[in-house]
Amino acid sequence: MLEGKTAVVTGSTSGIGLGIALSLARRGANIVLNGFGDIETAKAEFAGLAGVRCGYHGADMSKPAEIEDLMRYAEADFGGVDILVNNAGIQYVADVQDFPVEKWDAILAINLSSAFHTTRLAIPGMKARNWGRVINVASAHGLVASAQKSAYVAAKHGLVGFTKAVALETATTGVTVNAICPGWVLTPLVQRQVEARAEREGVSIEEAKRRLLGEKQPSLQFVTPEQLGELAVFLCSDAASNVRGVAWNMDGAWVAQ
Ligand code: NAD
């Protein structure tokens, strides 16, 4: 279904980004991975997929010049970007009066501004080919708030707004722009919050997971990177060509409450 297309997935060395990259690759898309950590292990996941090229660029998504270099790499080595998944993101938890200024700046840069930079650089090629998919990984926190997450909630609400604006700008073209809004997914980003909660409340990791889910996610189950990957595949399909400017929650009914 996606043979011959190239997907740039930011922050795809673990968690949701890796799950989405794998789902797209299983449909034949070439993949440009990005992110930090164990790159060889991430790349190895793609080795068995026939006909799929997997590249990597280590751009720090808080740095516009490095983002430009990532997009130039995709253009030069893969012939352009057909699918852009803006997924890189970080979290920090504190009351606003205690929120470190550098953490605010980093969250806004990585979770929001990076999507502006990749998108502004990808859209001209997508428009020229009259086909493109931009998928912004927002969050349930792009739709509703939680205490102590002011920077994250601001960035994710911003990302949803950005999605709508660019969807309008591309509405008469073959380029669609949408956001995905996951609830809790058990990735390293959330594992750290589970561990902090277990420590703070003096309970086991399993009990901390139950409390985390019980507080927000009525399904009482984590959403998985694989499920989010399949949602991204649908958004890339022809059937989704009129899905534009949505913020699609996959959150075990979190925002239904
Ligand atoms: P994760 O920590 O497993 O993965 C984050 C990825 O981003 C990693 O590949 C990491 O190397 C990369 N990254 C971090 N800083 C970067 C930087 N400066 N430059 C380039 N890459 C960078 O986290 P995850 O849970 O998979 O999160 C992925 C996205 O999903 C984030 O945008 C997050 O906000 C969002 N999200 C996560 C959840 C959840 O429950 N896990 C829920 C809703 C939304």
Side-chain angles (χ1 to χ4, degrees):
M1 167 191 159
L2 298 174
E3 285 83 5
K5 307 272 195 237
T6 294
V8 169
V9 185
T10 70
S12 45
T13 50
S14 79
I16 294 169
L18 182 58
I20 291 177
L22 277 167
S23 287
L24 297 176
R26 288 193 189 105
R27 301 318 195 284
N30 296 321
I31 303 292
V32 176
L33 294 173
N34 158 260
F36 307 139
D38 189 352
I39 288 121
E40 287 317 310
T41 302
K43 276 186 94 170
E45 301 242 24
F46 298 81
L49 296 170
V52 169
R53 267 189 75 201
C54 179
Y56 168 79
H57 191 287
D60 179 336
M61 299 307 288
S62 69
K63 301 204 161 71
E66 294 188 23
I67 297 173
E68 287 180 14
D69 202 54
L70 159 68
M71 300 305 278
R72 266 196 301 273
Y73 162 74
E75 192 74 41
D77 267 48
F78 286 79
V81 180
D82 304 293
I83 301 164
L84 171 63
V85 183
N86 289 309
N87 168 79
I90 58 168
Q91 177 62 284
Y92 191 83
V93 180
D95 285 336
V96 69
Q97 67 273 17
D98 303 323
F99 216 91
V101 171
E102 64 278 8
K103 291 287 183 198
W104 172 276
D105 288 343
I107 289 176
L108 269 287
I110 296 165
N111 297 18
L112 177 58
S113 299
S114 73
F116 159 67
H117 292 294
T118 53
T119 303
R120 73 181 169 80
L121 296 165
I123 288 286
M126 289 180 176
K127 278 187 172 169
R129 290 184 292 275
N130 200 34
W131 196 92
R133 296 287 187 265
V134 179
I135 301 172
N136 294 322
V137 180
S139 168
H141 284 119
L143 302 168
V144 294
S146 294
Q148 299 199 305
K149 294 187 174 174
S150 56
Y152 189 84
V153 168
K156 294 298 188 181
H157 275 66
L159 189 56
V160 168
F162 176 71
T163 301
K164 293 177 186 174
V166 185
L168 290 175
E169 292 176 18
T170 51
T172 60
T173 74
V175 181
T176 72
V177 184
N178 292 293
I180 290 177
C181 297
W184 292 123
V185 186
L186 193 57
T187 65
L189 182 141
V190 165
Q191 185 64 32
R192 283 189 289 275
Q193 295 176 62
V194 168
E195 285 163 12
R197 186 168 192 145
E199 169 91 23
R200 197 171 58 244
E201 296 177 8
V203 295
S204 68
I205 294 289
E206 282 316 304
E207 179 57 21
K209 284 181 192 167
R210 269 193 292 277
R211 290 185 183 185
L212 197 82
L213 289 168
E215 197 173 70
K216 299 281 186 187
Q217 198 145 300
S219 65
L220 303 178
Q221 289 175 350
F222 287 103
V223 177
T224 67
E226 293 73 22
Q227 290 169 336
L228 291 161
E230 293 306 296
L231 177 54
V233 167
F234 170 67
L235 291 174
C236 290
S237 71
D238 289 341
S241 62
N242 275 309
V243 179
R244 292 171 184 269
V246 306
W248 190 320
N249 44 311
M250 184 185 271
D251 63 359
W254 180 323
V255 306
Q257 297 168 96

